[in-house]
Amino acid sequence: MTKIISHEGLEDFQALVDGIRPLTQDKQHFGTPLKTKAELTEQAPQLAANHYFSDTFQPLLPVDGPMRWRADHADNLVLKRLRRGDYVPDLILDVHGMRQTEAKLELAALIEAAIREQCQCVSVMHGYGTGVLKQQIPLWLVQHPKVLGFHQAPKEWGGDAALLVLIDLGDQPHRR
């Protein structure tokens, strides 16, 4: 297949475009601006809190005795070890006096920090107060996929004003 190129009209076209200069490209780009690393790390706990924690979810938790819960895939002895105080919390979060939204963000940040720092056990001190955080924190913890279980803390870690939370670190080697 050979194409035959005709040059007729080429001189007319050259005469028409003679003296035309190319347009200069303006440097304005109207796309979404890229976020800095600091902005992304600042927003990560809030995104995690919004993604994992719902205020309308009502799991089946015990109404009598100490507050406790174990994930279905967790070992049966998790609650017993938490109750006895076999796990020492590596990180402690105190949410006394916080609003629910603040406490939710701090709880998400605590879980993310525990995973990043390879901390298997953390403590959340909710206090006594009006009991709002004492009721909400277990409801939020149940919803997070990295939480293996939690139990009311022993006396030395806050008693019934705190929870010991066991975090799933996956296949990472962890200590006890």
Side-chain angles (χ1 to χ4, degrees), residues 52-59 69 138-145:
Y52 291 124
F53 303 142
S54 168
D55 291 327
T56 58
F57 180 70
Q58 292 292 323
W69 177 82
L139 301 179
W140 295 329
L141 286 172
V142 167
Q143 298 174 47
H144 201 286

Side-chain angles (χ1 to χ4, degrees), residues 20-31:
I20 295 178
R21 57 184 177 82
L23 295 173
T24 58
Q25 175 68 37
D26 52 350
K27 303 288 190 243
Q28 292 183 349
H29 297 283
F30 296 103

Side-chain angles (χ1 to χ4, degrees), residues 92-154:
I92 298 174
L93 174 66
D94 188 0
V95 293
H96 286 103
M98 288 187 186
R99 295 183 183 99
Q100 283 188 23
T101 54
E102 295 169 342
K104 188 190 299 188
L105 290 176
E106 290 296 322
L107 187 63
L110 173 74
I111 294 172
E112 294 300 319
I115 293 169
R116 185 176 55 253
E117 299 293 326
Q118 299 296 310
C119 300
Q120 187 181 17
C121 184
V122 296
S123 175
V124 180
M125 300 184 73
H126 47 72
Y128 296 107
T130 59
V132 173
L133 290 179
K134 187 174 183 173
Q135 292 173 355
Q136 277 304 121
I137 287 176
L139 301 179
W140 295 329
L141 286 172
V142 167
Q143 298 174 47
H144 201 286
K146 291 292 187 176
V147 174
L148 285 177
F150 58 84
H151 198 284
Q152 177 182 313

Side-chain angles (χ1 to χ4, degrees), residues 1-8:
M1 253 182 138
T2 59
K3 290 186 178 180
I4 300 173
I5 300 174
S6 170
H7 292 293
E8 76 181 60

Side-chain angles (χ1 to χ4, degrees), residues 10 25 28 32 43 50-51 57 76 81 86 98 109 132 135 159 161 170:
L10 185 61
Q25 175 68 37
Q28 292 183 349
T32 57
Q43 291 177 348
N50 292 338
H51 179 71
F57 180 70
N76 290 333
R81 290 180 183 145
D86 289 352
M98 288 187 186
V132 173
Q135 292 173 355

